[in-house]
Amino acid sequence: MGFDLDMTLADTRSGIAAVYDELSVRLGVRMDSAAIVRRLGPPLEMELANWLPAEEVAAAADLYREIYPEMGVPVHTAMAGAYEAIEAVRAGGGRVIVVTGKNVRDAIGTVKVLGLTVDEVVGSVFGAAKGSALARFGAAAYVGDHVADIEAARAGGAVSVTVATGPYTVGELRDHGADVTLGDLTEFATWFADWRRRDELE
């Protein structure tokens, strides 16, 4: 089973906002961290391009990643139902991979801080680019909060399971073609049990 990280397993909003606020001060450029955390999902460089000239994005991304482990990771919290969702998969004999746009170092740091029991972490991939990691791992389904996570599941040959804990509503995720739409991860264990039973019957 594959899971996205930010706003799927981990509530990273306060940490990311703090890092953007610090980056804004250091660069002397106003960045609206509240607006940024409302649309989490796309790669860091894509977000920075909204605030900086193209030639300044790479250096700003390096500075952001320098700040993040100390200021961002420690204040992350688990999303409601995250531990139970992972436990449901593991109790059923499954393995868990986290596939995220966050860089590998900070993704692993977040997983460790939250004590999430996962088998593998793949970082710095977004949208359909996540598909190869999901396929290699053999993920039967991929859980995410962004429409790009639907593309990821399709690319990896996995069932697209979405949670409306990010920038999209249940209706919007369904309209974008998600196979399964949940309000949040507290609904995952029940869905997963039913899905496994149906699969066994087939």
Side-chain angles (χ1 to χ4, degrees), residues 90-173:
R90 301 189 74 84
R95 298 181 303 143
V96 174
I97 184 173
V98 170
V99 187
T100 175
K102 192 183 294 300
N103 70 82
V104 175
R105 180 201 63 194
D106 294 333
I108 291 174
T110 299
V111 165
K112 287 184 176 179
V113 160
L114 299 182
L116 300 172
T117 307
V118 306
D119 298 283
E120 188 173 343
V121 177
V122 176
S124 299
V125 284
F126 180 67
K130 294 181 176 183
S132 60
L134 294 170
R136 174 181 53 76
F137 189 77
Y142 181 62
V143 187
D145 65 285
H146 199 280
V147 294
D149 295 325
I150 301 171
E151 299 172 10
R154 295 279 179 271
V159 172
S160 170
V161 181
T162 54
V163 286
T165 47
Y168 299 94
T169 65
V170 165
E172 289 169 334
L173 293 165

Side-chain angles (χ1 to χ4, degrees), residues 81-94:
Y83 298 112
E84 293 82 359
I86 290 174
E87 177 54 30
V89 175
R90 301 189 74 84

